[in-house]
PDB file of all heavy atoms in Angstrom:
ATOM      1  N   THR A  53      82.971 121.655  96.801  1.00  0.00           N
ATOM      2  CA  THR A  53      84.296 121.250  97.264  1.00  0.00           C
ATOM      3  C   THR A  53      85.317 121.333  96.168  1.00  0.00           C
ATOM      4  O   THR A  53      86.412 121.890  96.349  1.00  0.00           O
ATOM      5  CB  THR A  53      84.237 119.810  97.819  1.00  0.00           C
ATOM      6  OG1 THR A  53      83.263 119.755  98.842  1.00  0.00           O
ATOM      7  CG2 THR A  53      85.588 119.372  98.372  1.00  0.00           C
ATOM      8  N   PHE A  54      85.039 120.765  95.012  1.00  0.00           N
ATOM      9  CA  PHE A  54      86.027 120.661  93.936  1.00  0.00           C
ATOM     10  C   PHE A  54      85.966 121.756  92.904  1.00  0.00           C
ATOM     11  O   PHE A  54      86.967 122.012  92.222  1.00  0.00           O
ATOM     12  CB  PHE A  54      85.902 119.272  93.254  1.00  0.00           C
ATOM     13  CG  PHE A  54      86.057 118.155  94.185  1.00  0.00           C
ATOM     14  CD1 PHE A  54      85.104 117.158  94.267  1.00  0.00           C
ATOM     15  CD2 PHE A  54      87.179 118.015  94.990  1.00  0.00           C
ATOM     16  CE1 PHE A  54      85.269 116.075  95.128  1.00  0.00           C
ATOM     17  CE2 PHE A  54      87.355 116.964  95.842  1.00  0.00           C
ATOM     18  CZ  PHE A  54      86.378 115.993  95.916  1.00  0.00           C
ATOM     19  N   GLY A  55      84.840 122.420  92.739  1.00  0.00           N
ATOM     20  CA  GLY A  55      84.680 123.439  91.719  1.00  0.00           C
ATOM     21  C   GLY A  55      85.721 124.527  91.740  1.00  0.00           C
ATOM     22  O   GLY A  55      86.366 124.827  90.720  1.00  0.00           O
ATOM     23  N   PRO A  56      85.929 125.190  92.925  1.00  0.00           N
ATOM     24  CA  PRO A  56      86.918 126.282  92.942  1.00  0.00           C
ATOM     25  C   PRO A  56      88.337 125.788  92.593  1.00  0.00           C
ATOM     26  O   PRO A  56      89.070 126.485  91.877  1.00  0.00           O
ATOM     27  CB  PRO A  56      86.873 126.768  94.394  1.00  0.00           C
ATOM     28  CG  PRO A  56      85.486 126.392  94.864  1.00  0.00           C
ATOM     29  CD  PRO A  56      85.172 125.116  94.158  1.00  0.00           C
ATOM     30  N   MET A  57      88.693 124.618  93.047  1.00  0.00           N
ATOM     31  CA  MET A  57      90.017 124.065  92.758  1.00  0.00           C
ATOM     32  C   MET A  57      90.168 123.811  91.266  1.00  0.00           C
ATOM     33  O   MET A  57      91.181 124.151  90.638  1.00  0.00           O
ATOM     34  CB  MET A  57      90.217 122.726  93.527  1.00  0.00           C
ATOM     35  CG  MET A  57      91.475 122.003  93.190  1.00  0.00           C
ATOM     36  SD  MET A  57      91.648 120.413  94.080  1.00  0.00           S
ATOM     37  CE  MET A  57      90.317 119.463  93.381  1.00  0.00           C
ATOM     38  N   ILE A  58      89.121 123.257  90.648  1.00  0.00           N
ATOM     39  CA  ILE A  58      89.189 122.955  89.202  1.00  0.00           C
ATOM     40  C   ILE A  58      89.217 124.273  88.400  1.00  0.00           C
ATOM     41  O   ILE A  58      90.020 124.364  87.431  1.00  0.00           O
ATOM     42  CB  ILE A  58      87.978 122.100  88.785  1.00  0.00           C
ATOM     43  CG1 ILE A  58      88.047 120.725  89.450  1.00  0.00           C
ATOM     44  CG2 ILE A  58      87.883 121.990  87.266  1.00  0.00           C
ATOM     45  CD1 ILE A  58      86.761 119.946  89.364  1.00  0.00           C
ATOM     46  N   ARG A  59      88.434 125.260  88.789  1.00  0.00           N
ATOM     47  CA  ARG A  59      88.456 126.540  88.059  1.00  0.00           C
ATOM     48  C   ARG A  59      89.841 127.202  88.177  1.00  0.00           C
ATOM     49  O   ARG A  59      90.332 127.698  87.187  1.00  0.00           O
ATOM     50  CB  ARG A  59      87.367 127.466  88.608  1.00  0.00           C
ATOM     51  CG  ARG A  59      85.997 127.189  88.008  1.00  0.00           C
ATOM     52  CD  ARG A  59      84.998 128.246  88.351  1.00  0.00           C
ATOM     53  NE  ARG A  59      84.707 128.337  89.771  1.00  0.00           N
ATOM     54  CZ  ARG A  59      83.927 127.521  90.457  1.00  0.00           C
ATOM     55  NH1 ARG A  59      83.289 126.514  89.820  1.00  0.00           N
ATOM     56  NH2 ARG A  59      83.736 127.642  91.744  1.00  0.00           N
ATOM     57  N   ASN A  60      90.431 127.181  89.356  1.00  0.00           N
ATOM     58  CA  ASN A  60      91.783 127.734  89.526  1.00  0.00           C
ATOM     59  C   ASN A  60      92.760 127.039  88.579  1.00  0.00           C
ATOM     60  O   ASN A  60      93.596 127.642  87.965  1.00  0.00           O
ATOM     61  CB  ASN A  60      92.287 127.604  90.965  1.00  0.00           C
ATOM     62  CG  ASN A  60      91.847 128.734  91.836  1.00  0.00           C
ATOM     63  OD1 ASN A  60      91.516 129.818  91.357  1.00  0.00           O
ATOM     64  ND2 ASN A  60      91.876 128.528  93.137  1.00  0.00           N
ATOM     65  N   TRP A  61      92.627 125.723  88.533  1.00  0.00           N
ATOM     66  CA  TRP A  61      93.554 124.970  87.684  1.00  0.00           C
ATOM     67  C   TRP A  61      93.326 125.255  86.195  1.00  0.00           C
ATOM     68  O   TRP A  61      94.263 125.497  85.453  1.00  0.00           O
ATOM     69  CB  TRP A  61      93.419 123.461  87.951  1.00  0.00           C
ATOM     70  CG  TRP A  61      94.324 122.652  87.074  1.00  0.00           C
ATOM     71  CD1 TRP A  61      93.994 121.890  86.022  1.00  0.00           C
ATOM     72  CD2 TRP A  61      95.748 122.602  87.151  1.00  0.00           C
ATOM     73  NE1 TRP A  61      95.097 121.351  85.437  1.00  0.00           N
ATOM     74  CE2 TRP A  61      96.201 121.771  86.131  1.00  0.00           C
ATOM     75  CE3 TRP A  61      96.685 123.187  88.011  1.00  0.00           C
ATOM     76  CZ2 TRP A  61      97.518 121.489  85.902  1.00  0.00           C
ATOM     77  CZ3 TRP A  61      98.021 122.887  87.788  1.00  0.00           C
ATOM     78  CH2 TRP A  61      98.427 122.055  86.761  1.00  0.00           C
ATOM     79  N   GLU A  62      92.085 125.249  85.773  1.00  0.00           N
ATOM     80  CA  GLU A  62      91.772 125.452  84.361  1.00  0.00           C
ATOM     81  C   GLU A  62      92.096 126.870  83.922  1.00  0.00           C
ATOM     82  O   GLU A  62      92.561 127.078  82.802  1.00  0.00           O
ATOM     83  CB  GLU A  62      90.295 125.128  84.072  1.00  0.00           C
ATOM     84  CG  GLU A  62      90.015 123.646  84.129  1.00  0.00           C
ATOM     85  CD  GLU A  62      88.561 123.297  83.824  1.00  0.00           C
ATOM     86  OE1 GLU A  62      87.707 124.239  83.724  1.00  0.00           O
ATOM     87  OE2 GLU A  62      88.280 122.127  83.681  1.00  0.00           O
ATOM     88  N   GLU A  63      91.854 127.851  84.776  1.00  0.00           N
ATOM     89  CA  GLU A  63      92.053 129.248  84.404  1.00  0.00           C
ATOM     90  C   GLU A  63      93.476 129.760  84.650  1.00  0.00           C
ATOM     91  O   GLU A  63      93.991 130.568  83.905  1.00  0.00           O
ATOM     92  CB  GLU A  63      91.051 130.131  85.122  1.00  0.00           C
ATOM     93  CG  GLU A  63      89.618 129.861  84.768  1.00  0.00           C
ATOM     94  CD  GLU A  63      88.603 130.510  85.680  1.00  0.00           C
ATOM     95  OE1 GLU A  63      89.005 131.359  86.530  1.00  0.00           O
ATOM     96  OE2 GLU A  63      87.389 130.213  85.556  1.00  0.00           O
ATOM     97  N   LYS A  64      94.107 129.283  85.737  1.00  0.00           N
ATOM     98  CA  LYS A  64      95.375 129.866  86.154  1.00  0.00           C
ATOM     99  C   LYS A  64      96.489 128.875  86.377  1.00  0.00           C
ATOM    100  O   LYS A  64      97.619 129.244  86.735  1.00  0.00           O
ATOM    101  CB  LYS A  64      95.165 130.693  87.441  1.00  0.00           C
ATOM    102  CG  LYS A  64      94.117 131.767  87.300  1.00  0.00           C
ATOM    103  CD  LYS A  64      93.742 132.275  88.666  1.00  0.00           C
ATOM    104  CE  LYS A  64      92.399 133.027  88.537  1.00  0.00           C
ATOM    105  NZ  LYS A  64      91.398 132.521  89.442  1.00  0.00           N
ATOM    106  N   ARG A  65      96.185 127.572  86.227  1.00  0.00           N
ATOM    107  CA  ARG A  65      97.165 126.512  86.474  1.00  0.00           C
ATOM    108  C   ARG A  65      97.793 126.579  87.850  1.00  0.00           C
ATOM    109  O   ARG A  65      98.999 126.488  88.043  1.00  0.00           O
ATOM    110  CB  ARG A  65      98.252 126.494  85.406  1.00  0.00           C
ATOM    111  CG  ARG A  65      97.777 126.109  84.033  1.00  0.00           C
ATOM    112  CD  ARG A  65      97.361 124.629  84.041  1.00  0.00           C
ATOM    113  NE  ARG A  65      97.086 124.140  82.719  1.00  0.00           N
ATOM    114  CZ  ARG A  65      95.861 123.832  82.278  1.00  0.00           C
ATOM    115  NH1 ARG A  65      94.827 123.959  83.058  1.00  0.00           N
ATOM    116  NH2 ARG A  65      95.680 123.309  81.103  1.00  0.00           N
ATOM    117  N   CYS A  66      96.911 126.786  88.864  1.00  0.00           N
ATOM    118  CA  CYS A  66      97.396 126.841  90.250  1.00  0.00           C
ATOM    119  C   CYS A  66      96.301 126.256  91.157  1.00  0.00           C
ATOM    120  O   CYS A  66      95.167 126.088  90.745  1.00  0.00           O
ATOM    121  CB  CYS A  66      97.713 128.286  90.654  1.00  0.00           C
ATOM    122  SG  CYS A  66      96.287 129.408  90.655  1.00  0.00           S
TER     123      CYS A  66
END
Side-chain angles (χ1 to χ4, degrees):
T53 303
F54 301 126
M57 174 182 66
I58 295 166
R59 278 190 297 280
N60 274 339
W61 178 253
E62 288 181 351
E63 295 168 10
K64 303 166 198 124
R65 291 293 189 249
C66 63

